[in-house]
Amino acid sequence: MNERRRVGYNVHRDVLDEGEVDILAEKSNVTVPFSRKIKEAMRCSGPRLKSCMLSCVPVLSWLPRYSFRENTMGDLISGISVGIMHLPQGMAYALLAGVPPVFGLFSSFYPILIYFIFGTSKHISVGTYAVMSVMIGGVTERLAPNLNFMIWDNATNQTVLDIVNRDAERVKVAAAVTFLSGLFQVLLGLVQFGFVVTYLSEPLVRGYTTGAAIHVIVSQLKYTFGISPDRHSGPFSLIFTVIEVCNLLPKTNVGTLVVSLVTIVSLIVVKELNTYLGKKLPVPIPVELLGIIIATVISWQVNLHGKYGVEVVGEIPSGLQPPVLPEASIFGQVIGDAFALSVVGYGIAISLGRIFALKYGYKVDSNQELIALGLSNSIGGIFQCFAISCSMSRSMVQESTGGKTQVAGALSAMVILIITMWIGSLFEELPKAVLAAIIYVNLHGMMKQFMDIPTLWRSNKVDMLVWLATLILTVLFNPDMGLAASIAFSMLTVIFRTQLPKYSLLGQVPETDIYRPVEGYNKVKEIPGIVIFRSSATLYFANAEMYQDALADKSGIDITKLISQKRKAEAKRLRREKKEARNAKKIKNNTAKSPEVEPDQLNKDVEKDGAVSTLPHAIILDLSPVNFLDTVGVKTLRGIQRDYSVIGVEVVLCGCQTAIIENLENCGFFSDGVTKACIFSSIHDAVLYCQTDKAQMDNDDGVKHTLTITHY
């Protein structure tokens, strides 16, 4: 790579403070009234109405321009491939949600059609998702536990589980929480709250999905071993469940365990074969579909349920369910779960959507995505669906098989419609252990996220701490409470980092107007008599006191001690004056006056650690890293100026953004004695100002400081 050519430049201008910059640049104080902003926002016109309609219903914008020649074949192959994946995943994730498998197929149909109309991502595959399903399962099992549906069987003289009524109640709960989470997403989208996803950092999301995956695995152990552990809820429920599963292992159904192990091994082998032959195969082998077909045929022929007690899916009704409004009485019990679902589902979908958008050069509207997902969930809830999001595995298949638009998603929904209407009943003999095995194998990608730990350890230890804390909190407190606790912990790390910034003294790079931390550069030297101080964080109530302490420590000025010395000197002077006044009572015209102790007198010799040092005559506070100031921060700056002026050290500010200067004005920083003349736009301006005697600055000749920089 050729060495970059140096470009010379020459600058010659007066040294300007912020007041002079405002005059030179003719600062405008025009503000738009709030009423005018409201009027402008409510203004309606033909072009604006059309633009609003196209942004709210994106399908009206891109579908008329759909290129059949370029996109049809890719979207068709992709839609069929993803639709085939929806069948086993929808049925498997329905078990996670605690509802009959057919409702997983419904959740893979209605929401996809809604997203086709309102979504803006061309490549993500929305539908059932493991993390969302396990969160739904926690709600359904909490509000409709098995104990509530135990009935007396006169034939056997013992209590049995009323599965039909239990499943019907769980479907109502799942539909209610899904509908409410959709409403939350729509409302957040309408108020332009799409930025909420910024609070879900990548380490937090990856740690959370890993923790949720552990919940998913534990929840499926009962289907793998053919046991029936009791339902536990609340904090540490995962640990209690694992303990109970271990206690029930002697009661394992051997037939169920064999089916699980054979299915897991077969799926892993074929998936690895898919990866190995990925570039040679036009379409990946539909391993999950083949798995459920083969397992269903074997179960039917061998009668696994009758002979070996292997639990099967059971009745799968054909056709679609009529729309039913969710029961509003349930809303109050699931409002927290619904909000957690809305945030998690949106965070996962928008993260993956942005990855594809960046790769293929189009834009994903975060607020419209909220509305699209919200409508998918709220309308889906009316049709007894459970909450959906975006699946990484299906999205990768949709992209790799040639999918280019949302049409691929709509075609996958048509595949599910055909299966639901005419083929679904053929899978009634499918063992649930096979669906659990499909879930295990599909989670291997999330389990690989444990490799984030060494990577984050090398790159950013705070992010690694967020990842680990999120994982632990999610595992211990369940996905809903774990998410809230993880976000709170992530916010605390931000606060702690602002409370522990790096404080530096700056020096000048020789023969330039560039200033860098003295401790980090060998040739950077401090300006004699001037302290240039910078904090790497903003200044607000949480770190204001530490800012003052760091300034005193870095500058070597014990401001409290020096002010105390000045007050003692003032008191001593007053006592001396009173004494001399008493001695001179009789000589009124020749009253002796003791010379006042000037502030500069304290600048001469100040003891510091047993040595003698000289106070600087100026301190420059570089506020360029500061992006906001609260009232405590403003008071801190005002206090620093006041205290250091008492001992004869002038304090000036530099690098302030316009918003910071407005904060200073609004909080009463400026007064008759403190004006914008103490604020400079750059460090070099402030240094040149401080290097010149104040008297020379105000002389009668009107001579002004000039800044000259010549580089070649």
Side-chain angles (χ1 to χ4, degrees), residues 172-399:
K172 292 179 182 178
V173 173
V177 71
T178 299
F179 179 80
L180 192 57
S181 70
L183 290 184
F184 276 130
Q185 289 174 323
V186 171
L187 291 175
L188 292 175
L190 291 176
V191 298
Q192 306 291 296
F193 208 63
F195 69 89
V196 70
V197 74
T198 58
Y199 294 105
L200 303 177
S201 64
E202 183 178 357
L204 188 148
V205 171
R206 292 176 71 85
Y208 178 77
T209 52
T210 305
I214 295 174
H215 277 278
V216 171
I217 291 172
V218 172
S219 70
Q220 296 303 292
L221 292 177
K222 59 183 179 182
Y223 298 114
T224 300
F225 294 100
I227 55 180
S228 300
D230 293 333
R231 158 70 184 171
H232 298 279
S233 60
F236 308 107
S237 61
L238 183 88
I239 297 174
F240 297 144
T241 302
V242 171
I243 293 173
E244 185 169 2
V245 167
C246 292
N247 292 332
L248 292 174
L249 285 181
K251 299 180 181 179
T252 298
N253 183 302
V254 178
T256 301
L257 182 60
V258 170
V259 170
S260 299
L261 294 177
V262 171
T263 306
I264 292 173
V265 172
S266 302
L267 290 174
I268 292 175
V269 170
V270 180
K271 278 184 175 287
E272 290 300 320
L273 186 63
N274 256 340
T275 304
Y276 180 73
L277 301 176
K279 295 181 179 179
K280 300 179 181 179
L281 296 174
V283 177
I285 300 173
V287 54
E288 295 165 341
L289 178 64
L290 293 176
I292 65 172
I293 292 175
I294 295 172
T296 302
V297 172
I298 293 175
S299 175
W300 172 56
Q301 290 292 327
V302 180
N303 191 16
L304 291 178
H305 179 60
K307 289 185 178 180
Y308 303 101
V310 177
E311 190 175 0
V312 296
V313 169
E315 183 182 0
I316 300 179
S318 300
L320 301 175
Q321 294 288 321
V324 178
L325 285 176
E327 293 187 7
S329 59
I330 302 176
F331 290 165
Q333 304 174 66
V334 299
I335 187 168
D337 304 282
F339 187 78
L341 281 167
S342 65
V343 174
V344 173
Y346 170 67
I348 293 169
I350 194 64
S351 299
L352 193 57
R354 285 175 173 171
I355 292 174
F356 286 117
L358 183 63
K359 182 176 180 179
Y360 290 98
Y362 62 91
K363 183 180 178 182
V364 172
D365 187 338
S366 59
N367 292 305
Q368 182 60 30
E369 284 295 291
L370 257 177
I371 294 173
L373 290 172
L375 291 173
S376 298
N377 280 321
S378 56
I379 296 175
I382 296 175
F383 287 93
Q384 290 85 56
C385 302
F386 54 86
I388 56 95
S389 185
C390 167
S391 166
M392 169 70 81
S393 59
R394 291 196 307 269
S395 299
M396 296 302 295
V397 169
Q398 181 166 319
E399 180 212 15

Side-chain angles (χ1 to χ4, degrees), residues 88-165:
Q89 289 188 5
M91 298 175 70
Y93 294 157
L95 294 183
L96 288 178
V99 297
V102 68
F103 290 92
L105 300 182
F106 297 156
S107 301
S108 301
F109 172 64
Y110 292 107
I112 298 176
L113 292 181
I114 303 301
Y115 186 84
F116 165 76
I117 298 172
F118 296 99
T120 59
S121 177
K122 301 178 181 179
H123 294 89
I124 66 171
S125 172
V126 297
T128 55
Y129 182 60
V131 175
M132 304 288 286
S133 299
V134 77
M135 293 176 72
I136 291 285
V139 181
T140 56
E141 292 188 11
R142 187 182 77 237
L143 298 184
N146 289 340
L147 291 176
N148 292 359
F149 300 93
M150 303 301 294
I151 59 175
W152 183 260
D153 187 358
N154 293 324
T156 60
N157 289 325
Q158 61 182 3
T159 57
V160 295
L161 178 63
D162 186 357
I163 296 177
V164 175
N165 287 330

Side-chain angles (χ1 to χ4, degrees), residues 559 707-708:
I559 187 66
L707 180 151
T708 303

Side-chain angles (χ1 to χ4, degrees), residues 48 61 224 505:
R48 187 167 186 174
S61 175
T224 300
L505 291 181

Side-chain angles (χ1 to χ4, degrees), residues 66-74 404:
Y66 183 80
S67 176
F68 287 89
R69 178 179 299 178
E70 296 179 3
N71 301 331
T72 301
M73 187 55 65
K404 297 181 179 179

